[in-house]
Amino acid sequence: MENAAIELSGERKISFRDRTQNFIYTFRRLEAKDWLKYFNSVTVENEREGKDTVQRIDIRSAGIALVDETLNSVEGYRVSGDMPADWKQKIHHGHKIKAADLLTDVGESSAMQSMPFSISDFEEIGLTAFWGVAENGSNVKFDGLVHRIASPNAEQRRVYMRSMSETRVAGSRSGRTIYRSSAPLLIRLYDELVQGVDGYTWQGQPLVNDVALIRANMDAYHKVAAMKQIFATPEDEMETAAAA
Amino acid sequence: MNAPSIFVPRDFEGIRQAAIELFEDSLVQREANRALDRAEGSSNRQRLEESFKSRLTLAAGYYSWVEYLMDLDGILAAGIQLPIEKLLDTEIHGLRMLRLARGEFSRRHPACGACGELNDRFAQQCSSCGVKFQRAKAA
């Protein structure tokens, strides 16, 4: 996949199989407002139950709403006669969940995991994502999508910590803690801190160091994923290693 | 219908309570660690472990906000200047609640004059160094 890059303008396709059938979903461009609506619909709550704390995360409802709102067309379904006007409501529920999972399947690049951390004015974050469908019908996976992000200053870190600590509690003071999405802040911080990217084009033009173009057109989900890595602590990995 | 929810940074009484509980809890944890060290290898260590329960009663959101305020308080205490317009009123009032809670906790747990360990205000002797406390007699 040398020289391949994600084209951010225009439609976005994903594909999946169920039983022996292939399906291709075509979405309109997912704008920042679509992703903000998605992030604001994700619910993360925790509640004490006896000695334990139970965390509940609902991303499925938000994912289904995103698919309903942005899906332009589908291929692979048998239709008798014309496509009904309410075709989106008739799509298999599990297929919408699968489609949302693929749209949001953005991870840390395997190539970057072995990269040493360096002391510099910016960090390089590597992401993976599924974007587009190959001629054989399979999803195209991009690895090594690079975001060069300046190190946040103390004030930006403080504002992030504040945002992560501001919660609501349902019912009484000992009720459920409801966490709000930090995505709007992460998107804002990304726009403040981004220095450049590799692996993305806008209308055929590589974004590279065109910060204004990156701010305006980078996929908001990728902005959030990159910033989450900027603020990530290695605790999780240490805990995983200890538990293994 | 969804139950009404409390925006934690605006629940100042809840913040004060959460801060006191966190201070009390850290004291209990410190005492627990000392007792567990003393009971190393003893058969009743597990029973002892179970007897030191966390006393936190509020939703997790209160403690995460108080921990954020403690960090902010630490930044300010270190002499780092933050322009007042950068702070939200919830942070300013939250810091006041933290200070009130700290004062209340200090009154409940005066420091031992000999070793500095915090004790219960009615304690007869220091839980750490064992020094006997003298009480001022009422005139």
Side-chain angles (χ1 to χ4, degrees):
Chain A
M1 205 186 305
E2 213 175 327
N3 297 328
I6 285 180
E7 172 52 51
L8 292 164
S9 67
E11 291 183 326
R12 178 175 174 186
K13 288 180 191 288
I14 52 112
S15 73
F16 59 89
R17 279 176 76 82
D18 191 9
R19 296 178 196 153
T20 57
Q21 295 158 54
N22 296 322
F23 299 91
I24 296 178
Y25 280 27
T26 304
F27 295 86
R28 66 167 166 76
R29 177 173 144 76
L30 278 79
E31 305 280 353
K33 64 177 168 48
D34 298 315
W35 283 121
L36 283 172
K37 199 168 172 185
Y38 166 83
F39 283 116
N40 287 329
S41 305
V42 170
T43 57
V44 181
E45 301 179 348
N46 83 31
E47 186 168 21
R48 196 170 292 147
E49 284 187 3
K51 283 182 180 175
D52 303 317
T53 301
V54 180
Q55 189 167 65
R56 297 187 188 88
I57 302 174
D58 178 14
I59 53 172
R60 287 197 164 171
S61 311
I64 289 168
L66 178 75
V67 170
D68 279 340
E69 198 126 322
T70 58
L71 187 58
N72 271 351
S73 63
V74 290
E75 295 168 47
Y77 293 96
R78 194 181 60 199
V79 183
S80 49
D82 292 337
M83 194 66 132
D86 60 346
W87 60 274
K88 282 190 197 176
Q89 273 63 55
K90 292 184 162 59
I91 289 177
H92 189 277
H93 184 74
H95 288 186
K96 289 184 184 177
I97 292 171
K98 180 68 185 170
D101 285 351
L102 285 164
L103 291 175
T104 56
D105 190 350
V106 178
E108 187 180 0
S109 165
S110 55
M112 300 299 277
Q113 276 175 1
S114 55
M115 288 269 286
F117 282 91
S118 56
I119 306 290
S120 75
D121 293 337
F122 61 84
E123 277 187 53
E124 282 202 334
I125 300 295
L127 299 179
T128 64
F130 291 103
W131 202 293
V133 173
E135 279 181 11
N136 66 4
S138 64
N139 285 302
V140 180
K141 185 176 184 180
F142 289 85
D143 196 349
L145 300 163
V146 176
H147 295 250
R148 285 178 289 281
I149 316 256
S151 301
N153 62 29
E155 178 59 10
Q156 286 162 328
R157 284 183 192 282
R158 187 183 74 79
V159 170
Y160 173 71
M161 293 310 295
R162 178 172 71 196
S163 160
M164 295 297 286
S165 309
E166 284 176 329
T167 60
R168 302 192 84 88
V169 170
S172 68
R173 283 180 178 150
S174 56
R176 278 174 295 127
T177 297
I178 304 162
Y179 296 87
R180 68 175 193 172
S181 170
S182 57
L185 175 68
L186 291 175
I187 291 169
R188 196 192 86 200
L189 291 176
Y190 180 95
D191 289 345
E192 287 173 17
L193 295 168
V194 69
Q195 308 279 298
V197 297
D198 292 327
Y200 298 90
T201 58
W202 175 255
Q203 295 174 347
Q205 181 190 341
L207 293 180
V208 196
N209 295 325
D210 190 335
V211 171
L213 213 54
I214 296 168
R215 283 181 188 141
N217 299 305
M218 176 53 63
D219 184 83
Y221 197 90
H222 287 218
K223 290 183 179 181
V224 171
M227 288 310 296
K228 276 188 176 170
Q229 285 196 36
I230 289 287
F231 288 114
T233 58
E235 278 172 8
D236 293 344
E237 277 186 27
M238 285 171 73
E239 280 167 14
T240 309
Chain B
M1 201 173 85
N2 287 337
S5 64
I6 306 163
F7 182 53
V8 169
R10 289 215 169 277
D11 180 10
F12 302 120
E13 181 47 36
I15 292 167
R16 193 185 64 86
Q17 187 186 335
I20 290 173
E21 287 189 9
L22 275 181
F23 294 143
E24 295 282 357
D25 200 57
S26 72
L27 192 60
V28 168
Q29 292 304 321
R30 227 162 56 200
E31 282 168 10
N33 289 340
R34 270 206 307 267
L36 289 170
D37 283 347
R38 284 196 298 268
E40 193 62 60
S42 152
S43 58
N44 67 349
R45 194 175 193 278
Q46 193 176 347
R47 216 175 49 209
L48 199 61
E49 242 172 59
E50 285 163 6
S51 70
F52 289 110
K53 284 185 199 151
S54 169
R55 296 175 188 180
L56 305 183
T57 64
L58 303 176
Y62 282 95
Y63 305 112
S64 54
W65 181 246
V66 169
E67 281 166 3
Y68 165 71
L69 290 173
M70 287 174 175
D71 280 347
L72 179 59
D73 193 44
I75 291 170
L76 297 171
I80 296 165
Q81 304 278 321
L82 272 177
I84 189 90
E85 63 272 16
K86 293 262 183 194
L87 293 176
L88 303 177
D89 62 338
T90 50
E91 293 174 294
I92 294 165
H93 292 301
L95 287 169
R96 283 183 53 233
M97 290 300 117
L98 189 61
R99 182 161 291 193
L100 283 177
R102 213 170 251 143
E104 195 171 328
F105 177 76
S106 298
R107 282 193 295 280
R108 285 186 198 176
H109 299 283
C112 168
C115 72
E117 180 58 43
L118 302 181
N119 286 272
D120 188 274
R121 67 179 150 173
F122 299 116
Q124 306 287 317
Q125 66 178 67
C126 176
S127 63
S128 177
C129 69
V131 73
K132 300 263 190 261
F133 295 140
Q134 288 188 333
R135 305 221 159 267
K137 287 183 180 157

